[in-house]
Amino acid sequence: MNTKKELASAMNTLSHRTSLTQLLTRPLQAAMPSLMPQAAAAPRKLPAALVERLLQQEAQRGMRAPGLPLATFNAPQPAAHRAATFSYPLHIERASIEALPNACGVYIFRGVDDVPLYVGRSVNLRSRVLAHLHHHEEQFLIGQTRRIECRRTAGELGAALLENSLLRDLRPAHNKKQRSKRGLFTLRLNADGQPQVMQVAEREFSRAENLFGIYTSERAALDALHKLVQGHGLCSIVTGLEQPDGFGMACFGRQIRRCRGACTGEESHEQHQQRLMQALEDLRILPWPYAGPMGIVEHGEGWQQVHVIDHWRYLGSLDREHRQLRLRPAASLKGFDLDCYKMVIQPYLLGQLDLRPLPGLPLAA
């Protein structure tokens, strides 16, 4: 490197740039640490005079559009800045926004002529709805909204049940469409004790005994049965999933050491059937165990609600303000409400629900 040109070229290469920078700055950091910025030092605000000068230059160059607030180099975080400078949409009824509580419940965005546009739930209605209004990707929905309706609930279970019922009743345009169920399928034991895929009328799910699993298609039910056989080391021949090539022939699972040998006589039929029933037990559909509707009592923030359930269908909630159930479309109360069943069955089996009979509320199943 005899020439200045060669030296400059070497310093500009990626391999030498970092090392040369460290070589030149390390002595200065050691000798005069106050003059060299530290990597771990907290960021400092720019001097006020420098900020003012930069803002003047920005205005002189025409970089700031008229009517927009002045940009500052020491501005707060974007979310906090948006919250501080946010103005409510003028086309949405202001009273409906101001009435939003900091409580659990369900909200409904309504458009022209009070048409339901979107239904959601939250443990804090005010915070969740304001997040919608701030979100730039939801401006199409916000542009169509004229009023925001909220319905408080005593807790999260009531909010989930109410949201599901409103989605069925109102069918809002901006929610994900629920698939129409042409029929529901389940697993049922035949006379030989083999699990078979069967289509069952929806009303039977809340009454019939010995049904295992609920599936929206025959293929989904068959796949679940295959996984159950493989996962528990059951025999695909004894369960009817595989046809034997001859008497005493091993199934495919036995050949790969998954089956315990019920097909070849190494495991008795009784032992295999016992293990099959144990595997199916986790999928058992519990028939409605009561003669009539029951109330699930839920408390929250000094407020009590009674959620009325009948044959695993949510019919509405009673509280100090609503002493009668709201009217719901008859079509929403037909059939088996799979979503409601999924919400209620686990806390019911765990004994976490405060259930009370409602003898004065006779309802047809």
Side-chain angles (χ1 to χ4, degrees):
M1 298 183 188
N2 297 327
T3 65
K4 294 182 179 180
K5 184 176 181 180
E6 292 176 343
L7 178 61
S9 176
M11 293 180 67
N12 279 329
T13 60
L14 185 62
S15 59
H16 290 83
R17 193 180 305 161
T18 303
S19 60
L20 287 173
T21 302
Q22 294 175 348
L23 180 64
L24 293 173
T25 57
R26 191 177 294 119
L28 292 175
Q29 288 178 343
M32 295 174 287
S34 60
L35 298 181
M36 298 300 296
Q38 301 296 320
R44 298 180 180 179
K45 294 185 176 181
L46 297 174
L50 177 57
V51 171
E52 184 65 27
R53 190 190 317 159
L54 292 173
L55 291 173
Q56 291 176 359
Q57 293 176 1
E58 180 183 288
Q60 292 173 359
R61 296 173 184 171
M63 297 174 63
R64 183 172 63 86
L68 292 178
L70 281 175
T72 65
F73 294 88
N74 299 319
Q77 294 295 325
H81 179 68
R82 288 196 303 270
T85 61
F86 178 74
S87 59
Y88 294 107
L90 298 178
H91 61 278
I92 299 180
E93 183 183 289
R94 183 62 181 268
S96 67
I97 300 179
E98 293 178 345
L100 293 169
N102 294 310
C104 187
V106 174
Y107 58 92
I108 308 170
F109 284 9
R110 293 188 177 272
V112 178
D113 297 329
D114 238 22
V115 174
L117 302 175
Y118 182 83
V119 173
R121 75 175 189 268
S122 176
V123 295
N124 189 318
L125 287 170
R126 184 171 189 82
S127 175
R128 185 70 186 97
V129 172
L130 292 183
H132 278 290
L133 299 181
H134 282 77
H135 205 296
H136 63 89
E137 293 183 0
E138 299 184 10
Q139 292 310 302
F140 181 71
L141 168 62
I142 302 304
Q144 293 181 309
T145 303
R146 296 296 177 268
R147 184 174 72 90
I148 301 173
E149 176 185 347
C150 68
R151 300 185 187 179
R152 279 196 60 190
T153 60
E156 294 185 52
L157 177 60
L161 292 170
L162 178 58
E163 180 193 35
N164 177 59
S165 69
L166 289 174
L167 290 174
R168 292 166 65 95
D169 298 350
L170 303 179
R171 300 186 180 277
H174 288 265
N175 283 94
K176 185 178 179 180
K177 299 297 180 184
Q178 293 181 325
R179 292 184 179 181
S180 58
K181 302 180 182 66
R182 298 180 180 178
L184 293 176
F185 295 82
T186 187
L187 302 178
R188 196 176 217 168
L189 297 177
N190 61 13
D192 297 327
Q194 295 176 327
Q196 290 186 328
V197 176
M198 297 185 64
Q199 185 173 7
V200 180
E202 290 189 35
R203 63 179 179 273
E204 294 299 319
F205 278 99
S206 60
R207 299 178 174 89
E209 301 281 349
N210 297 322
L211 301 182
F212 304 94
I214 305 175
Y215 309 96
T216 55
S217 69
E218 183 178 6
R219 183 64 189 175
L222 190 59
D223 288 344
L225 180 55
H226 277 282
K227 291 180 180 178
L228 181 137
V229 169
Q230 294 177 5
H232 292 81
L234 299 171
C235 178
S236 56
I237 291 179
V238 176
T239 53
L241 292 177
E242 182 182 343
Q243 294 298 322
D245 294 332
F247 180 77
M249 295 297 294
C251 68
F252 178 74
R254 184 56 183 162
Q255 297 175 34
I256 59 175
R257 298 179 180 276
R258 286 184 178 174
C259 169
R260 297 188 185 178
C263 48
T264 58
E266 298 171 71
E267 182 184 32
S268 69
H269 178 77
E270 290 74 17
Q271 290 176 329
H272 183 273
Q273 196 66 16
Q274 184 179 5
R275 293 197 302 111
L276 171 63
M277 294 306 299
Q278 290 175 349
L280 287 172
E281 195 60 35
D282 292 337
L283 302 175
R284 183 184 293 275
I285 304 302
L286 182 66
W288 181 247
Y290 305 101
M294 296 290 288
I296 301 175
V297 181
E298 188 174 29
H299 300 270
E301 299 181 3
W303 193 30
Q304 175 180 293
Q305 274 189 316
V306 179
H307 311 305
V308 183
I309 306 291
D310 187 32
H311 286 79
W312 304 118
R313 289 198 310 264
Y314 171 70
L315 303 181
S317 297
L318 303 172
D319 53 44
R320 59 173 177 252
E321 297 177 1
H322 302 91
R323 299 185 180 275
Q324 292 184 345
L325 296 178
R326 296 175 183 261
L327 292 177
R328 294 186 59 191
S332 299
L333 299 176
K334 291 182 179 180
F336 180 75
D337 192 343
L338 177 58
D339 296 318
C340 178
Y341 178 82
K342 290 180 177 179
M343 294 177 198
V344 175
I345 189 61
Q346 183 174 359
Y348 172 79
L349 294 175
L350 294 176
Q352 299 173 346
L353 298 180
D354 183 3
L355 281 166
R356 300 181 186 179
L358 300 172
L361 195 68
L363 297 168

